[in-house]
């Protein structure tokens, strides 16, 4: 990826340009110390003077009033705030008329910013004050006051906090009074510029120490640049939070959100005092010290999938290369390319007005449809369909271009959705709530309606990243997520009434990805790269989970690596310096998944015997139990030396009725409530009581005996025997109440138990004979 710079031979301004701002993707306003505000039209290349300010007004900062979300794309932003050296800020219309001038600070007003909703304006000045104003310019509050000038300010993503500079310090102050203020030393020189992105919640800072830095919203350093030759005078996030730009003397740099640099350009600009990204995130404008306005297009973006490599060579042209045969195709578009995604044998490209869908089998005839709303900010793909996110909503389309659904939820803000907080599979859409970050919304892909009984997935901590598995049946769909403590959890997506378990899979996990061909999960833990070959093991037999993992040292990937993709058995990881590392994992677990999904158990056993790996046998054991194939499970458990489990499986086989067998298989997987339910539905009350006795669930055992008026004496007898073994006295009030005046007769109890077993055998044989009669008929 690089920047394609365009700079006029002669500057349009006579003095330094202090600030720039886009109204649409093709129109820009610039303000200069020559008191002129100039409008640039990039389509025609024309410039025109909008207004000449009075000679005593030197503009310093400009910010357009935000477009309200969901309005048709390229809507004209109607007015902007201009801060100036005379201590005032001015609300100016698009046509250049000064609607209002407000006395704001003593000394220059150094920066002014609208919040994301356009309901408030923050200004900072040389007098060290931070003031909040209404959108009409009425003072609401003085948020803070300090002894040094405040050079830059930014709103937090929720418009509830303000970030500002204080010499070498950065300060985050919430609007609520008495809320905790976060302050930290960020640079060794005065901080000149800050920016806070609403999508990724990361902070940029630039200082006179010639460095730029990336921070998270808790003030933890994520990236620290090497010193440049000159102070860094400007930084700005791209709208989608994937890139940022850095400006200095004769320097313009394009960086990834993690800090490493894509491109460094050295245009003849003097210092770049202000950088603005266009609304669609495809180009940058810089306000230059020598009177120029520098424009730069982001080109040579690259997408890869299997043997295909797609490169954006120009604004409207893509090159597709098949690395197997070196065949090259050129794709031409009518409008500027804004977003693209290559996955599942399809390339999806959104331009400013249309969406193009290419199949990797045919690059000549794309499917084209018009976009409903504004600029697309996110494209996600699954095997059967893809998702577009823009300012108006979330839209799901098939690869044939058919509109499928558009999920909605209260308080939805599409401008802050990204690949970490939205996930897509063939049947489910998962979206993390921004208002309450402990909640995940789940929707049916085909209808856009809430999944199951509409219950939300709620966790105890804030969630950072979510990912749905891609294969298998809808009822078995799982979602993995990382929370604020960097713990990795997995849970089921289908939620009908009963509370689904959210089970921890790992700790200190920074990034994760599901395979696109089978439900294998990989993640980067503290110093290890881990692959969960069968994550479902946690629901089946948690004891053998460690045996189903593949782990290797991850120190070679340096600090803060990120998993880019997991295609087939190839994992692509981006290191902190931007380089890509490819890891191949064993292909055998994927083959095992395929055999099991087709119920080819003999082939699965044959594969494990051929590979002779404990990991594969452990996966097969868990898969067999999950699919209730106890014969295969017995072989697999024997192969990994779990002798106690082999004996338990053998004891299950000897049980007289199929209900008992099913109940014990469920118990084996830890589903005690389901096991009990199966027995009660079959009328096997004693067996339900007995499993609770065996598990020492004394309260539940007595509750069942009393409820069904049977075997109360059996429960009391076993309880008494249990207490005698440990030399304890009965203290439970319910047990004391029922034991009063009751004599325990073990002979009688044994006879009753024998009778129950006989009854179960008769029940089993009668149901079998009725089944045979049915078959004969």
């Amino acid at each position: 990826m690089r920047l394609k710079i365009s700079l006029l031979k002669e500057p349009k301004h006579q003095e330094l340009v202090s600030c720039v701002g886009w109204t649409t993707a093709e129109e820009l306003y610039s303000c200069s110390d020559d008191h002129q505000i100039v409008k640039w039209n990039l389509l025609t290349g024309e410039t025109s003077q909008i207004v000449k300010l009075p000679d005593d007004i030197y503009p310093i900062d400009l910010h357009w009033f935000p477009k309200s979300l969901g309005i048709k794309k390229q809507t004209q932003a109607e007015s902007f705030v201009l801060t100036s050296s005379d201590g005032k800020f001015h609300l100016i219309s698009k046509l250049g008329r000064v609607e209002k001038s407000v006395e704001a600070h003593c000394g220059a007003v150094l920066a002014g910013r609208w919040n994301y909703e356009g309901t408030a304006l923050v200004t900072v000045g040389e007098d060290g004050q931070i003031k909040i104003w209404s959108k009409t310019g009425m003072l609401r509050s003085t948020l803070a006051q300090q002894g040094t000038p405040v050079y830059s300010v930014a709103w937090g993503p929720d418009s509830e906090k303000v970030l500002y500079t204080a010499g070498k310090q950065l300060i985050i102050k919430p609007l609520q009074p008495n809320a905790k203020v976060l302050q930290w030393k960020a640079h060794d020189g005065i901080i000149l510029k800050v920016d806070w992105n609403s999508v990724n919640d990361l902070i940029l800072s630039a200082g006179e120490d010639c460095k730029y830095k990336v921070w998270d919203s808790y003030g933890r350093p994520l990236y620290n640049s090497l010193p440049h030759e000159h102070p860094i005078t400007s930084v700005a996030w791209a709208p989608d939070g994937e890139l940022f730009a850095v400006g200095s003397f004769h320097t313009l740099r394009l960086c990834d959100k993690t800090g490493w640099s894509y491109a460094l350009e050295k245009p003849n600009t003097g210092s770049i005092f202000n950088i603005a990204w266009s609304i669609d995130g495809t180009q940058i404008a810089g306000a230059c010290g020598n009177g120029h306005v520098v424009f730069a297009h982001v080109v040579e973006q690259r997408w890869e999938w299997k043997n295909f490599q797609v490169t954006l060579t120009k604004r409207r042209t893509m090159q597709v290369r098949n690395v197997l045969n070196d065949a090259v195709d050129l794709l031409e578009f009518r409008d500027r390319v804004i977003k693209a995604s290559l996955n599942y044998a399809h390339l999806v490209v959104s331009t400013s007005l249309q969406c193009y869908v290419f199949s990797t089998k045919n690059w000549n005839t794309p499917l084209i449809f018009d976009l409903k709303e504004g600029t697309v900010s996110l494209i996600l793909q699954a095997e059967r369909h893809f998702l577009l996110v823009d300012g108006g909503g979330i839209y799901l389309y098939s690869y044939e271009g058919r509109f499928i659904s558009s999920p909605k939820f209260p308080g939805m803000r599409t401008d802050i959705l990204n690949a970490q907080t939205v996930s897509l599979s063939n049947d489910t859409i998962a979206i993390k709530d921004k208002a309450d970050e402990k909640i995940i919304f789940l929707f049916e892909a085909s209808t856009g309606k809430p999944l199951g009984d509409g219950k939300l997935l709620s966790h105890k901590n804030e969630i950072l990243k979510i990912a749905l598995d891609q294969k298998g049946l809808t009822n078995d769909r799982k979602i993995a997520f990382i929370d604020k403590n960097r713990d990795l959890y997995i849970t089921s997506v289908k939620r009908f009434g009963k509370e689904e378990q959210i089970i921890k899979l790992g700790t200190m996990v920074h990034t994760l990805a599901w395979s696109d061909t089978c439900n294998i999960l990989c993640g980067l833990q503290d110093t290890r790269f881990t692959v969960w070959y069968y994550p479902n093991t946690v629901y089946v037999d948690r004891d053998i989970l460690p045996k189903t993992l593949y782990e290797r040292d991850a120190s070679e990937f340096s600090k803060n690596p990120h998993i880019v993709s997991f295609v087939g058995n190839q994992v692509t990881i981006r290191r902190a310096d931007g380089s890509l590392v490819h890891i191949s994992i064993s292909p055998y677990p994927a083959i095992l998944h395929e055999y099991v999904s087709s119920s080819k158990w003999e082939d699965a056993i044959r594969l494990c015997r051929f590979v002779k790996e404990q990991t594969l046998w452990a996966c097969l054991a868990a898969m067999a139990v999950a699919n209730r194939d106890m014969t295969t499970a017995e072989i697999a458990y024997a192969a990994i030396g779990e002798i106690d489990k082999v004996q338990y499986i053998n004891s299950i086989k000897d049980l007289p009725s199929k209900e008992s067998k099913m109940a014990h298989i469920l118990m084996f997987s830890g589903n005690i409530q389901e096991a009990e339910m199966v027995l009660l539905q079959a009328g096997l009350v004693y067996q339900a009581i007995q499993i609770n006795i065996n598990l020492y669930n004394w309260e539940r055992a007595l509750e069942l005996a009393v409820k069904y008026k049977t075997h109360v004496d059996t429960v009391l007898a076993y309880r008494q025997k249990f207490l005698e073994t440990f030399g304890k006295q009965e203290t439970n009030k319910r047990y004391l109440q029922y034991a009063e005046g009751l004599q325990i007769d073990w002979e009688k109890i044994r006879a009753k138990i024998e009778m129950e077993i006989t009854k179960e055998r008769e029940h089993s044989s009668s149901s079998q004979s009725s089944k045979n009669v049915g078959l004969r008929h």
Side-chain angles (χ1 to χ4, degrees), residues 153-201:
V153 67
W155 287 95
D158 53 5
S159 297
E160 295 291 322
K161 300 186 194 82
V162 171
L163 162 75
Y164 59 90
T165 68
K168 301 172 185 180
Q169 309 269 325
L170 283 179
I171 300 173
I172 295 176
K173 186 166 174 63
L175 297 189
Q176 291 92 356
N178 306 323
K180 190 182 170 198
V181 176
L182 185 65
Q183 180 170 349
W184 72 96
K185 186 187 175 194
H187 287 261
D188 296 323
I190 288 171
I191 300 166
L192 300 174
K193 273 284 194 298
V194 291
D195 197 10
W196 193 346
N197 187 262
S198 63
V199 179
N200 61 30
D201 199 20

Side-chain angles (χ1 to χ4, degrees), residues 509-535:
V509 182
H510 302 284
T511 172
L512 79 158
W514 288 96
S515 166
D516 64 340
T517 49
C518 56
N519 290 337
I520 295 176
L521 179 68
C522 73
L524 282 162
Q525 288 183 274
D526 208 9
T527 55
R528 301 186 311 284
F529 169 69
T530 309
V531 182
W532 289 266
Y533 283 134
Y534 187 55

Side-chain angles (χ1 to χ4, degrees), residues 344-630:
Y344 296 103
H346 287 88
L347 171 68
V348 181
V349 179
S350 79
T351 66
S352 47
L353 297 170
Q354 293 174 310
C355 182
Y356 295 72
V357 183
F358 297 86
S359 165
T360 54
K361 297 186 179 81
N362 176 13
W363 296 105
N364 299 321
T365 50
L367 191 135
I368 307 169
F369 60 88
D370 290 339
L371 292 169
K372 293 191 173 192
E373 292 286 346
T375 303
V376 170
S377 59
L378 178 67
I379 303 174
L380 283 182
Q381 288 178 261
E383 189 181 14
R384 293 183 199 154
H385 41 234
F386 64 94
L387 190 80
L388 298 180
V389 178
D390 65 21
I394 301 166
Y395 308 98
L396 192 69
Y397 292 92
S398 71
Y399 287 113
E400 291 76 48
R402 181 173 56 82
F403 173 71
I404 300 171
S405 66
S406 177
K408 289 180 173 61
F409 58 88
M412 182 169 83
R413 267 184 66 187
T414 55
D415 60 323
I416 53 177
L417 296 177
N418 62 6
Q420 315 289 314
T421 58
V422 186
S423 187
L424 177 68
S425 72
N426 283 337
D427 42 55
T428 312
I429 302 166
I431 303 168
K432 188 189 87 170
D433 187 12
K434 185 66 184 173
D436 181 354
E437 301 204 19
K438 298 175 183 176
I439 285 174
I440 299 172
F441 292 102
L442 299 165
F443 301 95
E444 270 179 31
S446 55
T447 62
K449 290 177 180 164
L451 199 67
D453 55 5
K455 265 177 105 174
L456 304 172
L457 197 159
S458 182
H459 185 53
K460 59 181 183 287
N461 290 322
E462 284 97 341
I463 294 164
L464 299 180
K465 176 169 172 55
I466 62 175
L468 287 161
D469 65 11
Q470 297 298 313
K471 289 290 183 177
L473 302 169
T474 311
N475 287 339
D476 299 329
R477 182 73 56 236
K478 297 284 188 292
I479 185 168
F481 59 86
I482 300 171
D483 72 5
K484 194 171 88 172
N485 297 336
R486 293 287 173 191
D487 291 331
L488 171 64
Y489 290 86
I490 189 168
T491 186
S492 198
V493 161
K494 282 278 184 181
R495 311 172 86 72
F496 283 100
K498 65 174 185 171
E499 195 57 45
E500 283 290 342
Q501 280 182 295
I502 298 178
I503 302 178
K504 189 191 283 193
L505 266 183
T507 56
M508 293 307 291
V509 182
H510 302 284
T511 172
L512 79 158
W514 288 96
S515 166
D516 64 340
T517 49
C518 56
N519 290 337
I520 295 176
L521 179 68
C522 73
L524 282 162
Q525 288 183 274
D526 208 9
T527 55
R528 301 186 311 284
F529 169 69
T530 309
V531 182
W532 289 266
Y533 283 134
Y534 187 55
N536 212 27
T537 307
V538 291
Y539 288 98
V540 178
D541 184 355
R542 211 180 296 191
D543 299 345
I544 64 164
L545 180 67
K547 293 183 178 179
T548 64
L549 305 182
Y550 164 73
E551 290 187 308
R552 60 173 275 182
D553 182 48
S555 54
E556 63 180 283
F557 307 133
S558 70
K559 197 181 162 194
N560 291 337
H562 171 70
I563 297 172
V564 178
S565 65
F566 187 179
V567 178
N569 62 332
Q570 182 114 343
V571 181
T572 305
I573 294 171
R574 195 177 287 282
R575 292 169 33 156
D577 62 1
S579 58
L580 290 172
V581 182
H582 301 284
I583 298 176
S584 290
I585 63 166
S586 167
Y588 298 119
I591 299 168
L592 186 67
H593 273 273
E594 205 176 303
Y595 283 151
V596 170
S597 64
S598 315
S599 298
K600 295 178 178 173
W601 295 105
E602 286 182 8
D603 291 343
I605 293 167
R606 208 174 291 126
L607 175 72
C608 291
R609 282 179 177 151
F610 167 71
V611 178
K612 296 191 180 92
E613 259 185 26
Q614 188 188 41
T615 318
L616 218 57
W617 279 115
C619 289
L620 180 61
M623 289 170 177
V625 174
N627 288 278
R628 318 273 188 258
D629 188 315
M630 300 319 278

